[in-house]
Amino acid sequence: MSRILRLVRLEIWRQVIAWSGAWWFLVTLIIGQAVAPLLGLFVWFHVPGAGAQVGSYYLAVICVALMTASFENHTFAQSIYSGDIAAALLRPQPPVIGPLGENLAIRLWMLLLGIPLITLVGVSVGASFSPLAILAAVPALTVAAALRFLFVWTLAMAAFWTERVHAVVAFGGVLIILLGGSAAPNALLPDPLRTIAQILPFRSMLGFPAELAAGTLAPADAAAGYAISAFWTAALGCCAVGTWRLGIRRYTTVGA
Amino acid sequence: MRIARLLGTAFSLSLRRALAYRINLLFDALLALVELTASIAIIGIIFTQTGLLAGWSQGQMLALIGTYALITGLRATFLDPSLSDLSQQIRDGRLDTYLLQPATTVLLATSTRHAPLALVQSILGIGVIILGLHELAIIPSPLAVGGWILLTLIGLLIGWATSVALASLAFWAPRLSLGVLHSAAWELGRYPVDIYGRWLQRLLTFAFPVAAITTWPAQTLTRGADPSILIAAILLGFAFTAGTMLLWRTGVLRYTGATS
């Protein structure tokens, strides 16, 4: 286990250095991730019944979006198309370490370079968070980061079967925006959409940690949210392993 | 006329190529349908909490979402395939191919590769506009429809001009890639500019005129044609096109090709 952690740490470091030259591109990625929550913020500011915490909530959503962003359809899926994944298969380490390390390195850069945007939005909306609420949100944020990676990585494995991987991942992205808490906070969704959104995994990837940080959840709802997040992490973990096993059987490298 | 024939031939070639992959058509149609359904659902969610959004009713918002889908579909069909790697072409010298051909370089480089399957989004967009007008229970006057068509075309022209202008910066800064930034700014057109703050509204009217791309066409269709809006849109379209052409020509003069 410590060997795996060491390998992950090395991969993150390698990718942090590799991405350090692409800071301008990373800035465009940050804006790309922040635009959907910003749109939600602008819209709900104009709705009188949205509540006073809507500014803090959307600021938290932006932070969660930056810290959980996943681009495996651009990184991992391209290595399937190009055949580069063959090299990873030959290494004496789990093949997930490569995409995981790159994912975490990109998130680190996005968080670092996103600080000015977070500060600007925070000052503009007059956001305020209690330290206790932030502490309660940290485990949910970690689970959201794992869930989002597992979700996008599994969808990106569609590259084993089709060349339309971007469409497949975009479909997942639409669900995250609609049901995850970016288009509207969960509390403002009409029933039965609210209940459906609470049961599905998309809220756990984005809106749930933000709701905890903004302090808009009752303790019972927070506990239910954590239980749902834990269930979906296990379920998506199994899905990712199953899809990988099926996909790798189908994979034939360049020239084979 | 020659340009129209050239674009027609390019579209015909792209269509034949696209129809060879019918599963892709299914993917694109499904994705367009899901994205548009989600947009309509979001409008529905917002209007369960309020009757008006910055002065826009649900029917007007549907007309705006439909117009956005229509223009985005047209952009994805006729412009994006060529513009997506224009900076890369400038960088690696593939622009040489266009410079040597006997037609307008900027047109060849930016509008001759098409993705006909993306037109599905535009067709669905027209459906949403009709839905919005049905919700409003109005039949727009011929003047309003004419104004909407003109403003939609100007919106497309501005979309082309801003994309080409950003890609042209590669003549000076080869590693600069602003395509994602353009797409993010384009997303702001999903809602009327009235929801943004005063400074952002000005920015979205004069610097990156999202107002002219979606807000004004939808406003004209649902509230009637306003001559001042039409004049402002024509002036903006002209200014952005002229600015882009100037930037392109200056950039091409600086361009040294792949091997020089």
Side-chain angles (χ1 to χ4, degrees):
Chain A
M1 191 65 190
S2 68
R3 181 179 153 265
I4 300 279
L5 285 176
R6 215 165 49 241
L7 285 168
V8 171
R9 209 177 59 226
L10 276 172
E11 184 63 25
I12 294 171
W13 182 240
R14 200 174 72 83
Q15 292 292 347
V16 163
I17 292 168
W19 278 86
S20 63
W23 67 272
W24 180 250
F25 182 65
L26 284 161
V27 169
T28 65
L29 290 184
I30 290 164
I31 295 169
Q33 284 297 311
V35 76
L38 279 174
L39 278 174
L41 176 66
F42 283 119
V43 167
W44 290 103
F45 251 158
H46 279 272
V47 178
Q53 280 298 84
V54 76
S56 303
Y57 169 78
Y58 271 108
L59 178 64
V61 169
I62 292 171
C63 295
V64 176
L66 296 185
M67 284 186 268
T68 61
S70 293
F71 302 99
E72 277 64 46
N73 52 320
H74 293 284
T75 54
F76 176 72
Q78 296 311 315
S79 70
I80 295 174
Y81 290 144
S82 66
D84 289 346
I85 198 177
L89 292 173
L90 293 173
R91 285 187 198 135
Q93 64 177 43
V96 72
I97 285 178
L100 182 65
E102 187 164 21
N103 177 293
L104 293 173
I106 293 172
R107 285 174 181 177
L108 273 175
W109 273 119
M110 286 180 74
L111 179 63
L112 194 69
L113 296 173
I115 288 171
L117 175 75
I118 293 168
T119 312
L120 183 71
V121 175
V123 170
S124 306
V125 300
S128 61
F129 299 97
S130 83
L132 211 64
I134 291 177
L135 266 180
V138 170
L141 177 66
T142 314
V143 175
L147 260 177
R148 183 86 180 259
F149 170 73
L150 287 171
F151 181 63
V152 178
W153 188 48
T154 307
L155 291 182
M157 278 190 252
F160 284 122
W161 290 273
T162 172
E163 62 177 30
R164 305 304 269 189
V165 70
H166 291 304
V168 175
V169 174
F171 176 72
V174 170
L175 291 175
I176 294 173
I177 288 173
L178 182 63
L179 301 170
S182 183
N186 185 264
L188 294 176
L189 294 178
D191 268 327
L193 200 61
R194 181 170 39 204
T195 315
I196 294 169
Q198 280 169 354
I199 294 166
L200 291 175
F202 311 110
R203 179 177 166 239
S204 302
M205 294 177 199
L206 193 66
F208 178 57
E211 286 168 33
L212 284 169
T216 56
L217 279 184
D221 294 332
Y226 267 114
I228 290 167
S229 300
F231 166 77
W232 280 112
T233 309
L236 281 177
C238 293
C239 262
V241 172
T243 313
W244 169 260
R245 284 182 184 162
L246 285 174
I248 209 67
R249 265 185 227 157
R250 191 186 153 81
Y251 176 69
T252 48
T253 191
V254 175
Chain B
M1 196 59 203
R2 187 163 155 264
I3 288 173
R5 231 181 22 248
L6 188 69
L7 290 178
T9 308
F11 185 77
S12 163
L13 278 171
S14 301
L15 184 64
R16 274 177 272 173
R17 212 173 295 141
L19 287 178
Y21 304 97
R22 292 193 186 142
I23 294 290
N24 290 356
L25 172 66
L26 186 74
F27 265 102
D28 287 354
L30 259 177
L31 183 64
L33 191 67
V34 167
E35 281 183 342
L36 209 52
T37 309
S39 297
I40 295 169
I42 292 168
I43 298 301
I45 292 165
I46 294 165
F47 282 93
T48 57
Q49 303 288 335
T50 183
L52 283 176
L53 179 67
W56 287 66
S57 69
Q58 185 164 4
Q60 288 171 327
M61 280 298 298
L62 285 175
L64 187 137
I65 287 287
T67 305
Y68 175 81
L70 171 71
I71 297 184
T72 305
L74 289 173
R75 205 192 85 161
T77 304
F78 296 104
L79 306 179
D80 284 353
S82 297
L83 293 174
S84 60
D85 66 341
L86 185 59
S87 307
Q88 181 67 33
Q89 289 190 45
I90 294 170
R91 214 159 35 230
D92 61 25
R94 275 182 290 150
L95 194 71
D96 290 6
T97 320
Y98 299 118
L99 291 170
L100 294 172
Q101 286 172 6
T104 319
T105 309
V106 67
L107 188 80
L108 287 176
T110 62
S111 322
T112 47
R113 277 187 287 157
H114 303 141
L117 305 185
L119 274 178
V120 174
Q121 195 178 355
S122 297
I123 294 164
L124 292 172
I126 292 171
V128 177
I129 293 169
I130 294 168
L131 189 73
L133 294 175
H134 178 72
E135 173 90 19
L136 290 167
I138 57 162
I139 298 169
S141 66
L143 196 66
V145 175
W148 173 76
I149 293 172
L150 177 68
L151 287 170
T152 303
L153 290 174
I154 291 173
L156 194 62
L157 184 68
I158 290 174
W160 171 83
T162 47
S163 298
V164 175
L166 288 181
S168 299
L169 295 179
F171 285 119
W172 289 270
R175 289 185 66 81
L176 198 64
S177 176
L178 297 174
V180 182
L181 198 65
H182 189 270
S183 304
W186 189 267
E187 288 281 312
L188 299 178
R190 284 181 185 276
Y191 293 97
V193 287
D194 309 272
I195 71 161
Y196 306 112
R198 196 156 48 102
W199 285 103
L200 199 54
Q201 262 186 49
R202 283 183 190 167
L203 209 66
L204 294 175
T205 304
F206 301 109
F208 185 83
V210 163
I213 295 170
T214 55
T215 304
W216 292 350
Q219 198 173 318
T220 301
L221 190 67
T222 57
R223 296 176 190 172
D226 178 349
S228 62
I229 283 182
L230 289 173
I231 292 167
I234 290 168
L235 287 176
L236 276 173
F238 178 77
F240 271 83
T241 310
T244 297
M245 293 301 288
L246 184 69
L247 196 68
W248 176 267
R249 283 188 189 154
T250 316
V252 167
L253 285 177
R254 193 186 152 84
Y255 179 70
T256 50
T259 52
S260 53

Coordinates of all heavy atoms in Angstrom, one line a residue, chain A residues 16 19-32 71 105-107 109-110 113:
Chain A
V16 N 2.6 17.5 -12.1 CA 2.6 18.9 -11.7 C 3.7 19.7 -12.5 O 3.4 20.8 -13.0 CB 2.8 19.1 -10.1 CG1 3.3 20.5 -9.8 CG2 1.6 18.7 -9.4
W19 N 2.6 20.0 -16.2 CA 1.5 21.0 -16.5 C 2.0 22.4 -16.1 O 1.2 23.3 -16.4 CB 0.3 20.6 -15.7 CG -0.5 19.5 -16.4 CD1 -0.4 18.2 -16.3 CD2 -1.6 19.8 -17.3 NE1 -1.3 17.6 -17.2 CE2 -2.1 18.5 -17.8 CE3 -2.2 20.9 -17.8 CZ2 -3.1 18.3 -18.7 CZ3 -3.3 20.7 -18.7 CH2 -3.7 19.5 -19.2
S20 N 3.1 22.5 -15.5 CA 3.5 23.9 -15.0 C 3.7 24.9 -16.2 O 3.6 26.1 -16.0 CB 4.8 23.8 -14.2 OG 5.8 23.3 -15.0
G21 N 4.0 24.3 -17.4 CA 4.3 25.2 -18.5 C 3.0 25.6 -19.2 O 3.0 26.4 -20.1
A22 N 1.9 25.0 -18.8 CA 0.6 25.3 -19.5 C -0.3 26.1 -18.6 O -1.5 25.9 -18.6 CB -0.1 23.9 -19.9
W23 N 0.2 27.1 -17.9 CA -0.6 27.8 -17.0 C -1.7 28.6 -17.6 O -2.8 28.7 -17.1 CB 0.3 28.8 -16.1 CG 0.9 29.9 -16.9 CD1 2.1 29.8 -17.5 CD2 0.3 31.2 -17.1 NE1 2.3 31.0 -18.2 CE2 1.2 31.9 -17.9 CE3 -0.8 31.8 -16.8 CZ2 1.0 33.2 -18.4 CZ3 -1.1 33.1 -17.2 CH2 -0.1 33.8 -18.0
W24 N -1.5 29.1 -18.9 CA -2.5 29.9 -19.5 C -3.7 28.9 -19.9 O -4.9 29.3 -19.8 CB -1.9 30.6 -20.8 CG -3.0 31.3 -21.5 CD1 -3.5 31.1 -22.7 CD2 -3.7 32.5 -21.0 NE1 -4.5 32.0 -23.0 CE2 -4.6 32.9 -22.0 CE3 -3.6 33.3 -19.9 CZ2 -5.4 34.0 -21.9 CZ3 -4.4 34.4 -19.8 CH2 -5.3 34.7 -20.8
F25 N -3.4 27.7 -20.4 CA -4.4 26.8 -20.7 C -5.2 26.4 -19.5 O -6.4 26.2 -19.5 CB -3.8 25.5 -21.4 CG -4.8 24.5 -21.8 CD1 -5.7 24.8 -22.8 CD2 -4.8 23.3 -21.2 CE1 -6.6 23.9 -23.2 CE2 -5.7 22.3 -21.6 CZ -6.7 22.6 -22.6
L26 N -4.5 26.3 -18.3 CA -5.1 25.9 -17.1 C -6.1 27.0 -16.7 O -7.2 26.7 -16.2 CB -4.1 25.7 -16.0 CG -3.4 24.3 -16.0 CD1 -2.1 24.4 -15.2 CD2 -4.3 23.2 -15.5
V27 N -5.7 28.3 -16.9 CA -6.6 29.4 -16.6 C -7.9 29.3 -17.4 O -9.0 29.4 -16.9 CB -6.0 30.8 -16.9 CG1 -6.9 31.9 -16.8 CG2 -4.8 31.0 -15.9
T28 N -7.8 28.9 -18.7 CA -9.0 28.7 -19.5 C -9.9 27.5 -19.0 O -11.1 27.6 -19.1 CB -8.7 28.5 -21.0 OG1 -8.0 27.3 -21.2 CG2 -7.9 29.6 -21.6
L29 N -9.2 26.5 -18.5 CA -9.9 25.4 -17.9 C -10.7 25.8 -16.7 O -11.8 25.4 -16.5 CB -9.0 24.2 -17.5 CG -8.3 23.4 -18.7 CD1 -7.5 22.3 -18.1 CD2 -9.3 22.9 -19.7
I30 N -10.1 26.7 -15.9 CA -10.7 27.2 -14.7 C -12.0 27.9 -15.0 O -13.1 27.7 -14.5 CB -9.7 28.1 -13.9 CG1 -8.6 27.2 -13.3 CG2 -10.5 28.9 -12.8 CD1 -7.4 28.0 -12.8
I31 N -11.9 28.8 -16.0 CA -13.0 29.6 -16.5 C -14.1 28.7 -17.0 O -15.3 28.8 -16.7 CB -12.6 30.7 -17.5 CG1 -11.7 31.7 -16.8 CG2 -13.8 31.4 -18.1 CD1 -11.0 32.6 -17.7
G32 N -13.7 27.6 -17.8 CA -14.6 26.7 -18.3 C -15.4 25.9 -17.2 O -16.6 25.7 -17.3
F71 N -10.8 15.4 -16.4 CA -10.7 15.6 -17.9 C -10.2 14.3 -18.5 O -9.5 14.3 -19.5 CB -9.8 16.7 -18.2 CG -10.2 18.0 -17.6 CD1 -9.6 18.5 -16.5 CD2 -11.2 18.8 -18.2 CE1 -10.0 19.7 -15.9 CE2 -11.6 20.0 -17.7 CZ -11.0 20.5 -16.5
A105 N -2.9 16.3 -10.2 CA -2.0 17.4 -10.5 C -2.8 18.6 -11.1 O -2.6 19.7 -10.8 CB -0.9 16.9 -11.4
I106 N -3.7 18.2 -12.1 CA -4.5 19.3 -12.8 C -5.3 20.0 -11.7 O -5.5 21.2 -11.7 CB -5.3 18.7 -13.9 CG1 -4.5 18.2 -15.0 CG2 -6.3 19.7 -14.4 CD1 -5.2 17.4 -16.1
R107 N -5.9 19.2 -10.8 CA -6.8 19.9 -9.8 C -6.0 20.8 -8.9 O -6.5 21.9 -8.5 CB -7.4 18.8 -8.9 CG -8.6 18.0 -9.6 CD -9.0 16.9 -8.8 NE -10.1 16.1 -9.4 CZ -10.6 15.1 -8.8 NH1 -10.2 14.6 -7.7 NH2 -11.6 14.4 -9.5
W109 N -3.3 22.5 -9.7 CA -3.0 23.7 -10.4 C -4.3 24.6 -10.5 O -4.2 25.8 -10.4 CB -2.5 23.4 -11.8 CG -1.0 23.1 -11.9 CD1 -0.3 22.0 -12.2 CD2 0.0 24.1 -11.6 NE1 1.0 22.2 -12.1 CE2 1.3 23.5 -11.7 CE3 0.0 25.4 -11.1 CZ2 2.5 24.1 -11.5 CZ3 1.2 26.1 -10.9 CH2 2.4 25.4 -11.1
M110 N -5.4 23.9 -10.8 CA -6.6 24.7 -10.9 C -7.0 25.4 -9.7 O -7.5 26.6 -9.7 CB -7.8 23.8 -11.4 CG -7.7 23.3 -12.8 SD -9.0 22.3 -13.4 CE -10.3 23.4 -13.6
L113 N -4.4 28.4 -9.3 CA -4.6 29.5 -10.2 C -6.0 30.0 -10.1 O -6.3 31.1 -10.6 CB -4.3 29.0 -11.6 CG -2.9 28.5 -11.9 CD1 -2.8 27.9 -13.3 CD2 -1.9 29.7 -11.8

